[in-house]
Amino acid sequence: MTTIDTPLTANFSIHSCAVSLAGMPLGTRFRVIAIDETRESLLRLMEMGLIPGVEGLLERTAPLGTPLSLRLPGCTLAVRRDDAECIRVIPLDPPTNNTPD
Amino acid sequence: MSLPAKSPVSALCKRRLIAIAGNPNAGKTTLFNALTGARQKVSNYPGVTVERKAGQLKLAAGETVDVVDLPGCYSLAARSPEEQIAHDVILGEMPGEPKPDLVIVVVDASNLERNLFLTSQLLDLKIPIIVALNMMDVAREQGRKVSAEKLAAALGCPVVPLVARRGEGIHDLLHLIGARPTGECACGGVPRFIDCLPPALEPSVQALAEGLVSSGHAQRETARGEALWLLVSSLEGDDAARISPALSALARRVLNEYQLTPRQVRAIETSARYQYLNDVMCRGVAEGKHRPSRFTDRLDGVLLHKVWGPISFLLVMAFVFQSIFSWASPAMDGIESLMTALAALVGDLLPDGMFKEMLLEGAVAGVGNVLVFLPQILILFLFIGFLEDVGYMARAAFLMDRIMARVGLDGRAFLPLLSSFACAIPGIMATRTIAARKDRLVTILVAPLMSCSARLPVYTLIIGTVFTAEQRLFGVYPIGGLMLLGMYFFSIVAGITMAALFKRTVLRSPRPPLLLELPSYKLPSLKSVLLNLYDRARLFVIRAGTVILAATIILWALMHVPVGHQDFSGFEQRRLSIRSEPALDDAGRNMLLQFVQSEEDAARVQQTLAGKMGKLIEPVIAPLGFDWKIGVGIIASFAAREVFVSGLSVVHGVGGSDEETSSLRDALRGERRTDGSLMFTPLLGLSILVFFVLACQCVSTVAIVRRETGGWRWPAFMIAYMTALAWLGSFAVYQGGRLLGFS
């Protein structure tokens, strides 16, 4: 796990409020806390800007439930649901009501 | 590995090489087109399916420089062929490619941090670079003010603001290229990332750098950059890795010593580099927050909607399919009649004989066989270029990812496979949008299984022969129509099954990561789309066209050049007696003459190589219910599937004209086996249909697969597997049917 402050000492307990991105409702704003760096796909997504510390918006899901689209500052990325499960985030505010359905 | 200070003499002697690097969608190709215009050459990098685009640029000072467009990538860490090639070319490690004197990094100003990631990796390698700060207009629209001067100061390298799509800023860029920038860091900016590594990386990078210098693998100034690259790149043995064993061993030793894995190094590097870029951005490079495009948001609300998304996707796909399927046909008919006119013209000029026939039926027909594909290719690539440029292709991949992943394919494989129902040639050419090499190969291998339009004449002939229009299932559905539908359905099932099979066997690979950005919608650049069209058409005609032409001539020779001697004077005598028969009127005489001619053609075909081959393969195809005449048709149809119809006409002696399929149908219905039973039973018809759904009877497909995969290995494999599949399929149908009591 690569986390914001301690890259090599992965420990979920210190981020007790962090949850998996996949479990968030649409329209949630979030901050990425930790990413499972053993997954090649997540390393690629990190290179594309999805790194611990970045803030984003869970915008949509594809009609069949995966992938999800995340709006990050400067770009919108598609992330498969199983990858999203390995991304820990903290929600920044309650989901807004005008979510795209 | 650094660039030695060049003496003016050597600089004059050697033409400079400029490489264009950048993220996908940053406008790399647009800039490349703006710099080189139509003076481009497209080829493949040796051994991989990645395209190499090169061109020339004339500078105002009279200097000509070579420009090469590198594959788009987000990072230099070599995890894919594209990244490996970008890295190798930039460092001069690509065989047959000189080290570039200058790298232009195209950077999307509207997404600066992400794009600077690659830029800072290039800066680490201490090569001369110019940053082309593209899409300044988009950044402005999104409410961001990006300062080229401040970015240049922070990075310590020249930065040119551009709107490549409109040609703005190109002049300044040309001026800078002429000024020959060096890789020297104009200090005062932020130190390079490589010179201020985080503590978690510093010792291992330094240790490997020293190892590289002492073993002579790198020079001191670039060693750290190379060391970091080695630590993160492909040390876990996947097919993209092309690092020499010595270097790889060195890197592994260092990793073991510091108890790191390449992935850990990459994760640390990535996070730290983004933090570093944050420092760069803090120097007043960009002002204002991102304001995402309202228009894109609204449009995505429909195009990615749970219900409207798939519906609009299907509408778009149906539209594309319809256009290649039907709009191309007037142009194709036009080309065909043009070739007929040309043949008539040549025919009038030349004396009768074998050579004339070869020229007309082999060469002219072969040129026609090549050109006839152009309308479909052009239409498909017009749509692909347009959809890609507008930003819809990314959405299509987003919508289809789940479904295609079930089979094991990329979401982008959908359009190539759909296009293959019109024709596999443009479909296979369209697989370029699929990034992962093995996924692309799987798509190429199954594309010819989709029932293309050239199979239609075969289906209609066979179905029309063994069923009559009156036969209906449950008194409602015409059996012929159901059979036709069934063949299309069968081809889809066969394609999906084979794709899943390949994905799990010969082309087994982990599911490639989804690297998909959903860019803002934008107007397409007409110039890019048209240049791309021109490239595709030219490549097809030159590379695949020559093979198709040669094969058509060879197949003509097989069908027409007699082997051994046979006396055909009997036919001539019959003709003479018909001509001198006073009891006949003109119409009757002509009919009889035509009849004799057909019989002579049939007799002659038996004496050709194709006829002998048909007899030769008869034992092999007999279990499928085929006789040697069908064998000749199959051999002939390798030129193109629809030739099966005219091939059968020739062997059955009903004249070669396509329009008179009804007389061929009657001839086939009258065929009897040696035991006197009817030859063309519904069971045999089904067996032939199944054979044509599955068999790779198309020399043009083989030619295009060779061109797209860069060798004969995959086309050979394709012929082998499809022929085997076709044989097994027909065998199962025919023998199974007989066991069940059909005849």
Side-chain angles (χ1 to χ4, degrees):
Chain A
M1 279 285 163
T2 302
T3 57
I4 293 185
D5 8 87
T6 49
L8 285 178
T9 53
N11 188 349
F12 275 123
S13 57
I14 55 169
H15 302 295
S16 49
C17 50
V19 285
S20 136
L21 175 60
M24 299 274 95
L26 290 185
T28 311
R29 294 202 57 82
F30 59 85
R31 178 183 287 129
V32 178
I33 296 300
I35 286 175
D36 181 358
E37 80 211 4
T38 59
R39 285 174 82 96
E40 173 63 25
S41 45
L42 287 180
L43 280 173
R44 297 293 204 108
L45 286 169
M46 281 178 75
E47 285 169 350
M48 292 169 85
L50 189 72
I51 47 162
V54 84
E55 287 179 15
L57 169 75
L58 177 57
E59 210 169 26
R60 301 168 214 286
T61 63
L64 293 171
T66 174
L68 319 172
S69 81
L70 311 180
R71 189 189 294 158
L72 304 180
C75 64
T76 305
L77 290 185
V79 178
R80 288 191 179 127
R81 191 166 283 278
D82 49 347
D83 283 332
E85 269 158 18
C86 302
I87 301 172
R88 299 273 149 180
V89 299
I90 44 171
L92 292 182
D93 48 41
T96 49
N97 286 330
N98 54 354
T99 53
D101 49 357
Chain B
M1 284 179 210
S2 74
L3 195 73
K6 268 198 185 132
S7 70
V9 179
S10 75
L12 279 178
C13 294
K14 200 189 120 246
R15 224 199 247 176
R16 283 200 293 162
L17 175 67
I18 296 177
I20 301 183
N23 285 183
N25 294 322
K28 229 163 35 66
T29 304
T30 316
L31 178 64
F32 177 76
N33 289 338
L35 289 179
T36 61
R39 296 180 297 274
Q40 304 182 357
K41 244 183 81 181
V42 185
S43 54
N44 270 23
Y45 284 105
V48 285
T49 48
V50 179
E51 231 172 44
R52 178 187 184 276
K53 269 181 132 181
Q56 283 176 7
L57 162 65
K58 275 207 161 58
L59 292 173
E63 185 193 359
T64 306
V65 286
D66 289 321
V67 186
V68 52
D69 189 16
L70 294 177
C73 53
Y74 294 106
S75 159
L76 277 188
R79 301 298 312 191
S80 73
E82 283 79 13
E83 290 160 355
Q84 175 93 47
I85 283 169
H87 171 267
D88 287 1
V89 170
I90 285 168
L91 285 179
E93 288 165 9
M94 179 58 92
E97 188 106 34
K99 185 181 157 92
D101 303 271
L102 175 67
V103 177
I104 298 177
V105 202
V106 185
V107 162
D108 176 357
S110 68
N111 184 8
L112 200 52
E113 271 127 307
R114 221 278 308 290
N115 277 259
L116 286 179
F117 190 86
L118 178 71
T119 313
S120 93
Q121 284 183 329
L122 289 168
L123 281 168
D124 284 355
L125 295 167
K126 316 226 159 138
I127 37 182
I129 70 171
I130 295 177
V131 173
L133 192 56
N134 194 19
M135 308 210 188
M136 291 295 279
D137 53 339
V138 181
R140 225 172 292 139
E141 277 163 31
Q142 294 184 354
R144 282 198 115 192
K145 240 179 91 186
V146 180
S147 159
E149 294 81 31
K150 286 185 177 152
L151 182 62
L155 291 177
C157 71
V159 178
V160 188
L162 281 181
V163 183
R165 211 153 39 92
R166 293 206 298 259
E168 285 170 29
I170 300 287
H171 187 76
D172 298 336
L173 180 64
L174 291 177
H175 188 74
L176 250 176
I177 295 173
R180 297 169 179 262
T182 61
E184 296 307 311
C185 180
C187 280
V190 186
R192 294 180 186 201
F193 176 72
I194 197 71
D195 297 325
C196 54
L197 291 175
L201 284 183
E202 173 61 34
S204 51
V205 169
Q206 186 56 31
L208 182 56
E210 272 158 24
L212 289 176
V213 173
S214 60
S215 61
H217 282 109
Q219 289 174 11
R220 186 151 288 284
E221 43 194 317
T222 54
R224 282 171 61 94
E226 272 290 87
L228 179 58
W229 182 81
L230 273 176
L231 288 180
V232 299
S233 290
S234 305
L235 294 162
E236 286 147 45
D238 77 21
D239 61 354
R242 263 195 309 186
I243 301 168
S244 78
L247 286 181
S248 162
L250 259 178
R252 211 166 298 135
R253 204 176 317 137
V254 170
L255 285 170
N256 281 339
E257 197 179 317
Y258 291 89
Q259 294 191 325
L260 289 165
T261 67
R263 285 189 177 163
Q264 279 172 337
V265 177
R266 246 172 97 198
I268 303 169
E269 186 222 334
T270 308
S271 289
R273 201 183 284 279
Y274 270 109
Q275 245 161 49
Y276 159 85
L277 290 174
N278 205 27
D279 293 347
V280 171
M281 297 297 289
C282 281
R283 306 215 157 192
V285 169
E287 286 167 29
K289 269 201 101 149
H290 275 288
R291 224 176 27 221
S293 154
R294 263 279 160 77
F295 177 70
T296 297
D297 207 35
R298 290 242 177 94
L299 203 52
D300 273 346
V302 177
L303 294 180
L304 298 181
H305 187 272
K306 277 201 161 52
V307 178
W308 303 121
I311 290 179
S312 45
F313 172 78
L314 287 178
L315 284 178
V316 170
M317 291 299 135
F319 185 71
V320 173
F321 181 70
Q322 176 67 15
S323 60
I324 35 182
F325 202 78
S326 56
W327 296 358
S329 42
M332 291 163 81
D333 293 346
I335 288 173
E336 264 164 8
S337 45
L338 202 73
M339 295 320 286
T340 317
L342 182 68
L345 197 74
V346 177
D348 287 346
L349 294 175
L350 286 175
D352 282 350
M354 205 64 160
F355 177 73
K356 172 178 164 181
E357 277 177 35
M358 194 275 290
L359 206 63
L360 292 187
E361 289 168 35
V364 176
V367 172
N369 270 353
V370 175
L371 294 183
V372 84
F373 289 116
L374 276 182
Q376 290 183 330
I377 290 175
L378 290 178
I379 291 178
L380 179 62
F381 275 90
L382 185 71
F383 279 113
I384 288 183
F386 175 78
L387 292 175
E388 188 89 60
D389 256 29
V390 164
Y392 188 73
M393 285 300 257
R395 268 79 184 178
F398 183 76
L399 291 172
M400 291 307 292
D401 185 66
R402 176 90 190 258
I403 293 181
M404 298 304 278
R406 278 270 170 84
V407 188
L409 286 178
D410 193 287
R412 288 166 198 256
F414 189 83
L415 186 59
L417 289 180
L418 181 78
S419 319
S420 298
F421 278 100
C423 176
I425 313 291
I428 287 169
M429 289 172 78
T431 57
R432 268 170 197 285
T433 43
I434 302 167
R437 180 181 147 267
K438 286 187 172 171
D439 284 14
R440 183 167 168 225
L441 275 173
V442 172
T443 315
I444 288 177
L445 286 176
V446 302
L449 283 175
M450 303 296 124
S451 265
C452 65
S453 52
R455 282 162 167 115
L456 214 48
V458 180
Y459 292 167
T460 5
L461 171 73
I462 300 300
I463 291 175
T465 303
V466 295
F467 298 106
T468 56
E470 293 82 50
Q471 280 171 304
R472 284 164 193 272
L473 199 63
F474 309 124
V476 192
Y477 306 106
I479 288 188
L482 277 182
M483 288 284 280
L484 192 62
L485 197 68
M487 287 307 118
Y488 276 90
F489 186 70
F490 177 51
S491 84
I492 297 173
V493 172
I496 291 175
T497 314
M498 289 317 286
L501 190 70
F502 288 140
K503 201 51 202 177
R504 281 160 185 76
T505 53
V506 272
L507 291 164
R508 180 201 295 277
S509 59
R511 189 181 55 160
L514 180 70
L515 302 178
L516 187 63
E517 230 187 297
L518 303 176
S520 301
Y521 291 104
K522 60 176 196 289
L523 283 175
S525 144
L526 190 64
K527 188 178 174 186
S528 286
V529 172
L530 290 182
L531 268 175
N532 189 35
L533 271 189
Y534 171 71
D535 271 354
R536 292 298 138 223
R538 208 186 42 161
L539 275 178
F540 171 76
V541 170
I542 296 172
R543 300 284 171 66
T546 41
V547 177
I548 297 174
L549 179 61
T552 314
I553 296 177
I554 291 171
L555 281 166
W556 176 86
L558 283 184
M559 287 285 287
H560 291 87
V561 178
V563 187
H565 278 286
Q566 175 90 16
D567 191 18
F568 293 110
S569 54
F571 294 105
E572 198 51 41
Q573 271 167 14
R574 278 169 63 191
R575 260 193 287 260
L576 276 178
S577 61
I578 291 169
R579 287 207 182 94
S580 53
E581 177 61 55
L584 282 166
D585 59 356
D586 275 357
R589 192 171 290 139
N590 278 338
M591 214 179 77
L592 280 175
L593 280 174
Q594 226 167 33
F595 181 72
V596 173
Q597 181 66 41
S598 300
E599 275 196 0
E600 186 183 352
D601 286 346
R604 278 183 190 273
V605 148
Q606 289 195 47
Q607 294 307 313
T608 63
L609 218 49
K612 306 247 177 214
M613 280 162 75
K615 288 235 167 80
L616 196 70
I617 62 169
E618 196 171 17
V620 182
I621 55 175
L624 317 181
F626 301 174
D627 64 351
W628 72 272
K629 291 181 179 175
I630 299 178
V632 172
I634 287 173
I635 291 168
S637 72
F638 205 65
R641 289 181 178 93
E642 68 269 23
V643 175
F644 181 71
V645 178
S646 54
L648 272 189
S649 310
V650 174
V651 264
H652 283 99
V654 277
S657 61
D658 292 329
E659 295 88 62
E660 291 172 45
T661 43
S662 62
S663 60
L664 174 59
R665 216 176 285 159
D666 293 340
L668 293 182
R669 282 186 187 150
E671 277 281 296
R672 285 180 185 275
R673 294 187 186 275
T674 38
D675 62 3
S677 62
L678 269 182
M679 170 93 190
F680 278 81
T681 59
L683 184 61
L684 176 68
L686 197 59
S687 172
I688 297 178
L689 288 176
V690 166
F691 188 89
F692 268 87
V693 169
L694 300 173
C696 178
Q697 297 297 106
C698 179
V699 72
S700 311
T701 304
V702 175
I704 199 69
V705 172
R706 188 193 80 95
R707 142 85 193 126
E708 293 293 321
T709 60
W712 284 108
R713 192 169 147 225
W714 288 108
F717 175 77
M718 194 173 84
I719 298 176
Y721 104 80
M722 288 183 73
T723 309
L725 198 63
W727 193 88
L728 287 173
S730 283
F731 182 82
V733 165
Y734 192 70
Q735 298 300 338
R738 285 181 30 130
L739 279 179
L740 292 175
F742 296 96
S743 55

